Each structure stands twice: as C-alpha cells, then as structure tokens.
C-alpha cells in the first residue's frame, strides 16, 4: 500500500560519506551512496516527481564525494550548513566550498549557527541560531536562503515561530513521513514542516525504495522507530539520551 504523493514529500537525509571504515552509524561508503542515488532517480521516474536529497553538518565528504556523484547523475542536493563550523571545525568544509556547492546548482540551507538543539534555546539564542545564521549564509553565497534543518531533529512550536519570524519557508525535521503544510496562524506565515528519513550505514536499498515510493508499511515502521526514540528521550531526558546515543553510534550529533 502506498501513501498519496500529495501528502508527504519524499526526503532523504545524509550526514557523512567516506571510503574508510567509520564507527559513525550515519557514515556510508561512496559506492553505497551512489547506489542510493541510482535508486532515488529510478523511483523519481516511477512516481513522476522529484526526490529530495539533503545533507546536514557540512562535512568535507560532501565536497569530496556527494557533490560529484550528484552532478554525475543530475541530482540536486540540499545542503544544511551550521555557519559557525565553516572554516573553523576540523573535518568540515569552508566558505569557499559552500559557495562552490551553491554555484554548482545545489540548494543551501541553515543548520543553525553552532548546532545547539534549538528546542532548548532562549529567545536571544534562537535569534542568533536561526535569523543570524540565515543572514550570514545569504551574505556568503549571495542568494536567498529559505530553508533550515533542525540540529539533532529537535524542535517545538516556539522554534517554528522563530523560523517564521526569521523568514524561512521550509523547516526540515528528522521524523520520517511527517509533513505539515505552510499556513497562516494569528497573521503569521508559518513555514512548511517537512520530515526526513535519516539514512544509516545499514539502511537497505529495499528500505530506501519503499520509503521513496511512499509504501505505507515502510513509512509507518520508520515513524514507529522514530516515535520510540522520542519516548526514550522523554523517559531519560534529552541530554542523557544524546550522551548514550553519541557514545554508542556517533562522534557528534546530527
């Protein structure tokens, strides 16, 4: 069974691509990424609509592997950048790279400034992370930035309102199959909230294809796993959950 294509956009989220072994659960090899992109282009042809390919964090592998593969297959990527990391954090791209990615026809969005979880920010911190990061990106690449992805997937309605005030039209989260259209509330234009499927090292091509097709069972299973993790966060606390998760699966949060 398939979901209606008018309900949920088909969005994949990637973090790191490397031809060396990595303990990071979100790091995949270039060959696997290439196979995913072949599957994505095939599914896009079958469902007669584009598939959105997104990247968080601005890892150096995005320039080394992701952009050349996307260009080879004629696929547009959507890269979410934490502005304070550019040129200052080892293993991550710099502003020349960001400009190059944009000039090659790919979209650039914000991933906040410092990658702090936006749901725990004060109003002044939110402005710095959301509004100022957008202004910096627009200044650096010379074009409009209208999208943002949530660091660590954390968000709440206060964050959505801050994104609206900052001028964003799209907010990307980490909940597979989730979608809330842009709307007007209390005379405020709220952005669309778009869920994504965060691809992991062991994600199978069958799962990728089923998700992109909008298969009801596949999307429901992925959403169920996501909601289970949300329950765990509430039970042990966000910081405790993130510490355990990062220790087991990641060197840093997404």
């Amino acid at each position: 069974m398939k979901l209606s294509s008018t309900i949920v956009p088909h969005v994949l989220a990637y973090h790191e691509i490397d031809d060396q072994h990595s303990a990071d659960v979100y790091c995949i090899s270039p060959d696997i990424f290439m196979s995913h992109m072949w599957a994505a282009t095939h599914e896009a042809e079958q469902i007669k609509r584009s598939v959105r390919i997104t990247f968080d964090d601005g890892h150096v592998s995005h320039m080394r592997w992701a952009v050349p593969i996307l260009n080879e297959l004629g696929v547009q990527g959507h890269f979410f950048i934490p502005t304070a990391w550019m040129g200052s954090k080892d293993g991550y791209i710099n502003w020349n790279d960001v400009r190059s990615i944009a000039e090659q026809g790919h979209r650039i969005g914000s991933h906040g400034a410092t990658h702090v979880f936006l749901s725990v920010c004060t109003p002044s911190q939110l402005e710095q992370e959301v509004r100022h990061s957008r202004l910096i990106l627009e200044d650096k690449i010379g074009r409009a930035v209208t999208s943002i992805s949530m660091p660590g997937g954390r968000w709440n309605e206060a964050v959505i309102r801050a994104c609206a005030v900052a001028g964003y039209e799209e907010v990307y989260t980490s909940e597979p199959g989730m979608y809330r259209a842009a709307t007007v509330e209390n005379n405020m234009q709220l952005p669309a909230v778009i869920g994504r499927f965060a691809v992991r090292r062991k994600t199978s091509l069958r799962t990728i294809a089923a998700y992109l097709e909008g298969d009801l069972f596949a999307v429901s299973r992925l959403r169920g796993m996501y909601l289970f993790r949300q329950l765990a966060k509430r039970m042990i606390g966000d910081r405790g959950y993130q510490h355990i998760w990062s220790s087991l699966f990641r060197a840093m949060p997404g």
Side-chain angles (χ1 to χ4, degrees), residues 146-161:
T146 59
S147 60
I148 183 171
S149 75
M150 302 289 95
R154 273 61 160 193
W155 65 282
N156 53 33
E157 294 304 325
V159 172
I160 298 302
R161 289 192 293 274

Side-chain angles (χ1 to χ4, degrees), residues 44-167:
E45 293 174 356
Q46 296 298 311
I47 63 179
K48 307 300 182 185
R49 61 177 296 175
S50 63
V51 172
R52 305 185 196 183
I53 309 298
T54 68
F55 302 84
D56 284 356
D57 301 337
H59 193 265
V60 290
S61 63
H62 298 174
M63 273 296 289
R64 182 180 181 188
W65 296 110
V67 170
I69 290 173
L70 293 172
N71 290 347
E72 179 180 343
L73 298 179
V75 176
Q76 184 187 53
H78 195 160
F79 294 81
F80 293 102
I81 304 298
T83 54
W85 289 9
M86 297 302 95
S88 64
K89 189 175 178 68
D90 187 46
Y92 293 84
I93 60 178
N94 57 41
W95 286 115
N96 287 334
D97 295 325
V98 177
R99 281 188 288 270
S100 176
I101 291 171
E103 289 166 359
Q104 292 179 69
H106 302 286
R107 290 187 67 188
I108 299 295
S110 172
H111 199 38
T114 64
H115 204 285
V116 66
F117 296 157
L118 301 182
S119 57
V120 300
C121 286
T122 65
S124 61
Q125 289 174 322
L126 259 183
E127 182 177 13
Q128 181 70 31
E129 293 289 333
V130 174
R131 180 174 175 272
H132 288 187
S133 67
R134 176 180 179 232
L135 295 176
I136 290 170
L137 282 168
E138 291 184 334
D139 178 65
K140 294 292 186 179
I141 68 174
R143 60 193 71 194
V145 171
T146 59
S147 60
I148 183 171
S149 75
M150 302 289 95
R154 273 61 160 193
W155 65 282
N156 53 33
E157 294 304 325
V159 172
I160 298 302
R161 289 192 293 274
C163 291
V165 172

Side-chain angles (χ1 to χ4, degrees), residues 5 15 58 80 101 141 169 205 250:
S5 61
H15 291 81
F80 293 102
I101 291 171
I141 68 174
E169 298 175 3
L205 272 177
R250 300 211 68 194

